[in-house]
Amino acid sequence: MRLHIAGFMAWTALLSAGCTVDDPVATLRSPDAGTDVPDEWAAHCEDSGPPLLLGNPAAGPQVCSGQLAQTLFRRAACSCEGLSLSAPFTVDAFRSSAGPYAPGGTGGDVGVNGVLSANDRVTVGGLLQVGGVQISSPLTVGGGLDSNGPLSGPGTSATVTGDARVNGDVGLAALTVGGVLTVPPEFSPGPAQASELRREPVPPVIPCDCAEGSRFDPAALIAHHTVDNDNAAIGLDPATLTDVTGERVLELLCGRFLLTRIAGPGRATLRIRGRTALFIPGGVDLKEALTVDVQPPGELDLFLAGGFIVSGDLTLGSAALPSRVRVYVAGSQALDISAGSTLAGNLYAPQAQLNLSGNAEVFGSLFVRHLEASGAVQVHHDADVLGAGAACPAGQAG
């Protein structure tokens, strides 16, 4: 398996509101550290530890990690450009706090700033917002549909349970809309059937916030926390995983930590048992395997730059608890995920293309520049991420 990964002030203004919680103290359990956890640190990290506040307080309000997660991962899938599919694509939702994933759950929104192009069946459990649609197999939408352009597919059909707004011609063999269909007067609704047809302008939508001046910038946080972190408080050497041989295990309870790089011929395991933010400016390059194990009450916000290569097995998170893992990628290097990988978390990489080979099942969500998939793709959105900011200071969990 190979996984390649290569406006902060605006974001703090959006998510801020006068934090009063002190920066948390980190705690660490690891054979690499060579020290025990002091009692005061263990006490500080009781349960999951306090909410994590990130960013430079001298430059503006800090952002609470939970609020950041619930803001960026509202949808099961977001593509800043187009979404090209040559095999079935299915999106639904569940709540990990209510039990394991079961097929057929309602919800799971999808946003595509460009055109959704599909040669096989597409099923979206929630709202679908797109720049346009080009399909050659049936499209099924469990929520509403917003399209900035036409619906093209002369030999196929689409079914929308809710309302549909189409700013273009409906060029399908059939369109069935359970609610209201709105098409501007200058365009044709085609053979559509709906509970009501409205002939009026359709306002444009921007499903995913990808503009350079307004999108969240992981690089700014990574740069700041390269010098502002909790490593010194626990005696953690940031170079402790730069040369991984054999098997290395690093366990973190709560806090903000810096690892210069994770690299080497061996296998590494990160065990997260509290609210943890981990910054890796030099990226990941492991030949054998990487496991990211997050168990309650742990949560991980992982910020990466400098590439992400795992030549062997990658296990990112748990399918039972995907809302607890959030990965933010700085840079535009392509992300290649091969069949057999475990991707159970929320991925934010608005400048990178995600390439999925073979059949892929994702538990969590994807926010990428562009998605290409050679096999069937299933995305199961863990709606619990929408409440990730509940523990944030007042004014940041809105």
Side-chain angles (χ1 to χ4, degrees):
M1 198 294 304
R2 293 177 61 81
L3 170 59
H4 303 265
I5 301 182
F8 182 65
M9 286 301 297
W11 266 89
T12 55
L14 175 64
L15 300 177
S16 69
C19 297
T20 58
V21 176
D22 293 335
D23 285 346
V25 176
T27 185
L28 169 74
R29 293 184 186 274
S30 169
D32 305 307
T35 59
D36 294 328
V37 178
D39 291 342
E40 61 270 24
W41 295 343
H44 180 80
C45 288
E46 186 177 359
D47 191 19
S48 59
L52 289 175
L53 306 180
L54 308 174
N56 184 0
Q62 293 173 293
V63 60
C64 180
S65 63
Q67 175 62 16
L68 177 64
Q70 74 174 40
T71 300
L72 292 180
F73 300 120
R74 296 192 304 269
R75 292 180 172 87
C78 242
S79 176
C80 295
E81 295 181 351
L83 182 59
S84 300
L85 304 163
S86 58
F89 182 74
T90 304
V91 177
D92 57 13
F94 75 114
R95 286 190 176 274
S96 58
S97 59
Y101 166 77
T106 59
D109 297 347
V110 173
V112 184
N113 286 5
V115 173
L116 168 62
S117 176
N119 296 324
D120 211 320
R121 180 180 296 273
V122 174
T123 304
V124 176
L127 171 68
L128 174 62
Q129 295 183 309
V130 294
V133 172
Q134 297 176 353
I135 53 175
S136 56
S137 291
L139 167 67
T140 303
V141 181
L145 169 66
D146 292 309
S147 179
N148 290 330
L151 307 184
S152 301
T156 191
S157 63
T159 301
V160 180
T161 300
D163 296 336
R165 290 162 288 274
V166 182
N167 195 22
D169 293 324
V170 177
L172 302 172
L175 172 63
T176 303
V177 179
V180 177
L181 171 63
T182 303
V183 179
E186 64 269 28
F187 298 116
S188 169
Q193 296 183 345
S195 62
E196 179 184 348
L197 175 62
R198 295 179 183 173
R199 306 288 276 159
E200 59 189 39
V202 173
V205 296
I206 303 177
C208 310
D209 186 4
C210 303
E212 184 176 355
S214 61
R215 67 174 180 243
F216 169 64
D217 182 12
L221 279 184
I222 294 170
H224 174 73
H225 288 288
T226 299
V227 294
D228 178 15
N229 54 68
D230 299 312
N231 285 41
I234 63 168
L236 173 62
D237 181 356
T240 192
L241 293 182
T242 57
D243 185 17
V244 176
T245 58
E247 184 170 0
R248 305 288 292 277
V249 179
L250 188 66
E251 184 169 332
L252 303 172
L253 291 188
C254 77
R256 304 161 309 160
F257 300 99
L258 170 71
L259 291 177
T260 307
R261 194 176 186 222
I262 300 179
R267 60 175 58 231
T269 297
L270 300 176
R271 291 178 180 164
I272 307 301
R273 298 296 183 263
R275 288 193 181 102
T276 302
L278 181 59
F279 301 89
I280 311 178
V284 174
D285 187 356
L286 281 172
K287 297 298 184 286
E288 191 169 345
L290 174 65
T291 298
V292 179
D293 176 24
V294 180
Q295 299 296 329
E299 298 178 23
L300 175 64
D301 290 281
L302 176 61
F303 298 86
L304 292 163
F308 197 160
I309 301 174
V310 181
S311 301
D313 297 331
L314 171 70
T315 302
L316 180 66
S318 164
L321 299 166
S323 64
R324 293 179 176 269
V325 177
R326 286 89 67 160
V327 180
Y328 306 87
V329 178
S332 58
Q333 289 178 269
L335 291 75
D336 298 332
I337 300 181
S338 62
S341 302
T342 298
L343 185 58
N346 303 273
L347 173 64
Y348 181 82
Q351 299 180 71
Q353 176 167 312
L354 175 62
N355 301 314
L356 300 174
S357 61
N359 296 336
E361 187 170 20
V362 177
F363 293 85
S365 63
L366 303 172
F367 192 131
V368 297
R369 177 178 63 82
H370 185 79
L371 174 64
E372 292 282 350
S374 62
V377 177
Q378 299 178 64
V379 182
H380 313 304
H381 191 215
D382 182 1
D384 280 350
V385 76
L386 303 178
C392 290
Q396 286 207 343

